[in-house]
Amino acid sequence: MSEKPADRIDGLVRELNEHNYRYNVLNAPIIPDQDFDRLLRELIELEAEHPDLVRPDSPTQRVGSDLSETFPTVVHNIPMLSLDNTYSEDELREFETRIRRELPSEDLCYVAELKIDGVALSLTYENGLLVRGVTRGDGVRGEDITPNVKTIPSIPIRLREPVDRCEVRGEVYLAHKTFQAINREREKAGETPFANPRNAAAGSLKLRDPRLVAKRRLSFFAYFFRTPDPPFHTHAETLDYLQHLRFAVNSERAVCDTLDDIVDHIHAWDRKRDTLPYDIDGVVVKLNATSQQDKLSATSKAPRWAIAFKFSAQQAETVLRRIVLQVGRTGVVTPVAELEPVLLAGTTVSRATLHNREELERKEIREGDTVRLEKGGDVIPKVVEVIREKRPAGSRPFRFPDACPVCNTPLVHDKVEVAIRCINTRCPAQVKANILHFASRTAMDIEGLGVALVNQLVDNTNTRVHDAGDLYSLDMETLAGLERMAQKSAQNLLDALKASRARPFHRVLFALGIRHVGATVARALADAFGSIDRLREASIEDLEAVHEIGPAIARSLHDFLRAEQNRAVIEKLRAAGVQLEAEQQAHTGPGPLEGKTVVITGALSRWGRQQAQDLVRSLGGKPTSSLSKKTDLVVVGENPGSKKDKAEAFGIRILNEEAFAELIGEG
Ligand code: IVH
């Protein structure tokens, strides 16, 4: 081939981006996957030979490998507003009346778009190249998640035209199929499945590793475009232009001259929403003429020229086959409905929680009943009511048992938490749930230790797994004797267990599954006491002296560390070499905040609250939320409130954000 490498690379990038667009946006590929892969391989090889010729819009640049510790906060050029919601036709008519008052003699025209149930995202392009992707955040500031955004296949890295500078906004979402695949994988890995596609999309965007984000196959619909001089007079033209620029724009949009047409459109989609391959939660109605939008402008929360008509929760009817009882990690017994599988809001539902005994009795739910299910915006399906007319003859009220369905220990009614509880801490159901929590990603992160395997480990007496501490005594021979356990997966599990011994102490503390001790509390405890032994020596008062710790946590922790069974687990972990002591902070020499108690008040622009606190910790300081005479330093952001005055009264050193950044060497 006589072509120069630079030209070949340019050609390949152009060609691959075109195919990528056809595949991911138009859903109309014109070459087979193998051909695409062949071209991509050629590009990868050429780029490896000529690293200086790698172009920023090369498809190889979509997935970076840099892990980001934190996402920087950025201020939106134009605030990302929300939309006012309506739920009825009348409210929609009022929306028009308000517009008519402002624009009495003008013709009105609207665009109706589907309201995609996803996560809003802002994209900035310079000279046609994607330079930044930012979450909505609080509308004023969002998080810069550019490396993750680049992995979304339907977001163009380069626009069809080199538009000088523009911002595009839209919705990141997950198609039902992709969502289901993600949840299947999570369940296999012993992780909690996402409740709905929106949560899954939001969680995916915040992953620290873009390679993992790429695997989530997120999608994007654009619905907003802004340049210094907008070239169009209507929203409809703007949407067409976005499509021309290579964005996916939802095709189910309608331009309507009357509100009646809009209403028809809304009703049609309320009926048809099930047929879409993704979730929508309503229809957005926008004034079409940009001049009219400008005249109406916005309140501090939402534009006056647009409104969201929200659909009510979707419902379905099905037969409740059986009521089963689930015993959770803390022994709480939850009744769960096993259902005749039914399609609801794009997913097949076969189980629904019945919450607790009271709920079951209040709704008079029986096995065999036909029930109405509902899935709201963000919840697991619930049983709304029993359809009495369809109750089969001879059915009987459900009797809540007196003993644990798993270990037969008499159940106890916990009146404070409105719960029925199995108090046998050796109950296999609790043991399994505890081990799963111990192994979960945010705890000890033991890959491969999922539900099926934990069930086997606990049920099979040869393994001698009675608690999380026993995991570390597992050996090749025992594991290889388990069902569906190949040598390779056994070795992987042993490796994962070994690796988990390096998890920092605060994660171990969280992994123990102590009631009320979540990840944040565990970190605060680890910071304040430094080791499990010092925690055990601490009195309830000592524990409560830590800012984040209230009486309930202190009591729960105190009791936990004194219970014989838990002490045994801790000793097994110690013997296995698990970290029961906090490492010395990884900073070199005494940092500027060494030993200092720091209170942050008001909003900082560079760091979120959690981030700033982590930063203080990493520099040897101790972040606290309440101010006292012992506080060494107060960092004051925007709208600081009364803490600033109090600090002044105490004569404590006060720094603004700039001075603080300066002090810690980030100025
Ligand atoms: S327009 C100022 N159009 O709904 C204009 N939003 O409840 C604001 N959304 O934050 C957005 N589909 O995340 C618009 N076709 C659509 C939308 C849409 C979904 C989301 C968006 C917004 C939220 C407001």
Side-chain angles (χ1 to χ4, degrees):
M1 199 189 307
S2 60
E3 208 174 354
K4 280 207 290 244
D7 295 339
R8 181 62 187 154
I9 286 180
D10 284 356
L12 282 168
V13 166
R14 202 167 320 118
E15 199 177 342
L16 283 162
N17 281 344
E18 183 66 29
H19 289 309
N20 176 62
Y21 168 66
R22 286 178 177 276
Y23 185 91
N24 289 294
V25 177
L26 304 180
N27 286 322
I30 49 167
I31 57 166
D33 291 0
Q34 297 96 297
D35 291 5
F36 182 91
D37 290 341
R38 191 174 42 72
L39 293 172
L40 184 61
R41 261 199 313 277
E42 184 185 345
L43 178 64
I44 292 171
E45 281 164 22
L46 270 175
E47 286 182 342
E49 286 166 33
H50 306 278
D52 49 318
L53 296 179
V54 176
R55 297 170 44 132
D57 59 342
S58 163
T60 60
Q61 301 304 297
R62 276 195 184 263
V63 187
S65 57
D66 287 349
L67 295 190
S68 48
E69 254 313 297
T70 50
F71 296 117
T73 304
V74 290
V75 176
H76 293 295
N77 277 333
I78 323 163
M80 285 182 85
L81 299 179
S82 170
L83 290 170
D84 285 334
N85 290 331
T86 67
Y87 297 87
S88 69
E89 209 179 304
D90 287 347
E91 288 175 331
L92 198 62
R93 306 261 172 213
E94 286 165 24
F95 164 70
E96 181 164 67
T97 312
R98 286 196 297 275
I99 295 176
R100 284 238 175 272
R101 250 201 316 266
E102 300 295 319
L103 310 169
S105 54
E106 294 191 30
D107 288 336
L108 301 181
C109 172
Y110 303 96
V111 180
E113 292 166 29
L114 299 184
K115 185 164 169 1
I116 312 297
D117 197 4
V119 184
L121 182 69
S122 150
L123 305 168
T124 303
Y125 288 83
E126 280 169 13
N127 299 317
L129 204 62
L130 175 66
V131 292
R132 199 161 43 250
V134 182
T135 63
R136 177 168 184 274
D138 62 5
V140 176
R141 294 187 180 81
E143 284 177 294
D144 182 337
I145 53 166
T146 311
N148 289 352
V149 167
K150 281 193 178 161
T151 69
I152 301 175
S154 51
I155 292 183
I157 300 288
R158 180 181 292 285
L159 303 176
R160 181 172 311 211
E161 288 168 11
V163 183
D164 230 8
R165 193 186 160 80
C166 68
E167 185 187 347
V168 173
R169 292 180 186 171
E171 203 79 353
V172 175
Y173 67 96
L174 269 171
H176 292 145
K177 266 200 184 140
T178 324
F179 166 69
Q180 286 152 16
I182 291 173
N183 267 355
R184 271 198 300 276
E185 284 219 351
R186 285 177 78 83
E187 283 181 15
K188 247 201 275 162
E191 294 166 342
T192 339
F194 288 110
N196 57 52
R198 174 162 39 77
N199 287 3
S204 305
L205 282 178
K206 296 284 183 73
L207 289 169
R208 303 288 170 196
D209 183 349
R211 287 168 299 196
L212 296 179
V213 186
K215 290 195 186 144
R216 295 280 171 92
R217 306 294 305 174
L218 294 161
S219 304
F220 179 79
F221 278 129
Y223 51 65
F224 173 99
F225 176 76
R226 191 57 57 93
T227 38
D229 328 82
F232 306 109
H233 300 295
T234 64
H235 182 59
E237 285 171 291
T238 310
L239 291 178
D240 292 342
Y241 183 61
L242 277 170
Q243 197 160 333
H244 166 77
L245 285 180
R246 287 203 159 131
F247 286 97
V249 177
N250 194 285
S251 55
E252 308 304 339
R253 54 190 194 262
V255 180
C256 303
D257 288 321
T258 70
L259 215 56
D260 289 332
D261 291 347
I262 293 276
V263 168
D264 289 345
H265 185 80
I266 290 175
H267 288 321
W269 276 109
D270 199 356
R271 276 193 308 276
K272 286 190 294 186
R273 59 194 288 205
D274 263 354
T275 61
L276 290 166
Y278 44 82
D279 277 357
I280 61 171
D281 59 345
V283 167
V284 183
V285 181
K286 301 172 181 175
L287 262 185
N288 194 22
T290 41
S291 62
Q292 295 178 345
Q293 293 185 359
D294 293 343
K295 280 186 212 157
L296 283 163
S297 81
T299 67
S300 64
K301 291 206 190 76
R304 293 195 186 84
W305 46 265
I307 198 150
F309 185 100
K310 298 262 275 200
F311 296 147
S312 44
Q314 280 179 284
Q315 296 193 331
E317 251 182 57
T318 192
V319 174
L320 187 159
R321 286 179 182 157
R322 223 156 65 94
I323 296 172
V324 294
L325 298 166
Q326 234 170 32
V327 185
R329 185 155 66 82
T330 57
V332 173
V333 180
T334 308
V336 174
E338 281 186 1
L339 308 162
E340 204 72 64
V342 61
L343 197 68
L344 174 60
T347 43
T348 307
V349 175
S350 50
R351 286 161 81 82
T353 171
L354 298 168
H355 300 289
N356 51 44
R357 188 165 88 184
E358 271 81 359
E359 170 97 353
L360 202 65
E361 287 169 358
R362 193 158 39 79
K363 293 192 174 146
E364 294 182 51
I365 300 171
R366 297 183 181 181
E367 292 183 328
D369 272 343
T370 297
V371 292
R372 198 185 316 285
L373 297 177
E374 182 173 293
K375 192 140 100 179
D378 45 11
V379 281
I380 303 165
K382 61 177 182 211
V383 172
V384 187
E385 59 175 353
V386 169
I387 301 168
R388 282 302 186 89
E389 305 80 70
K390 298 198 179 167
R391 174 166 283 172
S395 83
R396 296 213 197 133
F398 181 74
R399 250 206 83 214
F400 214 91
D402 300 320
C404 172
V406 178
C407 70
N408 225 15
T409 306
L411 294 174
V412 172
H413 195 161
D414 179 339
K415 296 208 172 60
V416 185
E417 294 189 18
V418 200
I420 308 280
R421 183 171 262 131
C422 166
I423 51 165
N424 171 18
T425 49
R426 287 188 169 53
C427 171
Q430 288 184 53
V431 171
K432 288 173 189 172
N434 263 312
I435 293 180
L436 280 170
H437 168 75
F438 184 84
S440 64
R441 255 237 318 266
T442 45
M444 298 298 273
D445 194 11
I446 304 171
E447 219 182 296
L449 199 53
V451 179
L453 182 54
V454 171
N455 283 345
Q456 278 203 72
L457 288 176
V458 176
D459 293 338
N460 184 328
T461 47
N462 294 336
T463 60
R464 304 211 166 99
V465 173
H466 307 294
D467 57 48
D470 295 330
L471 293 172
Y472 293 93
S473 312
L474 286 168
D475 55 23
M476 195 61 190
E477 202 185 333
T478 318
L479 284 176
L482 295 175
E483 261 173 65
R484 289 193 306 269
M485 178 60 97
Q487 181 107 10
K488 177 130 193 306
S489 15
Q491 190 55 52
N492 287 347
L493 180 65
L494 291 175
D495 292 346
L497 278 163
K498 196 163 166 200
S500 77
R501 297 184 311 192
R503 303 286 173 256
F505 172 53
H506 66 90
R507 290 203 16 201
V508 181
L509 193 56
F510 168 60
L512 287 173
I514 306 166
R515 241 210 276 181
H516 306 309
V517 179
T520 314
V521 168
R523 190 184 274 265
L525 287 166
D527 285 349
F529 292 88
S531 75
I532 199 86
D533 295 328
R534 288 179 56 197
L535 268 172
R536 187 152 47 199
E537 286 155 16
S539 66
I540 293 201
E541 294 73 48
D542 294 339
L543 295 172
E544 275 192 57
V546 179
H547 284 302
E548 288 87 343
I549 313 300
I553 306 177
R555 163 64 57 196
S556 154
L557 178 68
H558 187 261
D559 293 353
F560 182 95
L561 293 175
R562 269 158 197 75
E564 193 43 53
Q565 193 183 342
N566 301 329
R567 294 176 76 132
V569 175
I570 290 166
E571 289 321 310
K572 288 179 208 171
L573 295 178
R574 195 193 305 275
V578 169
Q579 304 298 313
L580 297 177
E581 251 175 69
E583 248 177 59
Q584 282 306 306
Q585 297 282 7
H587 53 92
T588 43
L593 301 179
E594 193 63 49
K596 296 217 162 77
T597 314
V598 181
V599 170
I600 299 163
T601 173
L604 302 180
S605 67
R606 297 175 209 214
W607 307 280
R609 178 56 56 91
Q610 189 65 47
Q611 262 179 315
Q613 290 178 346
D614 288 348
L615 191 64
V616 168
R617 238 179 245 118
S618 72
L619 294 168
K622 185 169 167 347
T624 68
S625 51
S626 72
L627 189 113
S628 75
K629 287 196 176 117
K630 286 192 207 146
T631 307
D632 296 297
L633 186 65
V634 176
V635 182
V636 177
E638 243 175 88
N639 303 324
S642 67
K643 280 186 194 159
K644 184 174 175 212
D645 305 334
K646 204 164 151 192
E648 275 166 1
F650 286 158
I652 295 167
R653 184 170 176 210
I654 300 176
L655 294 180
N656 65 16
E657 183 171 346
E658 278 311 308
F660 173 65
E662 198 77 29
L663 174 75
I664 62 173
E666 300 224 355

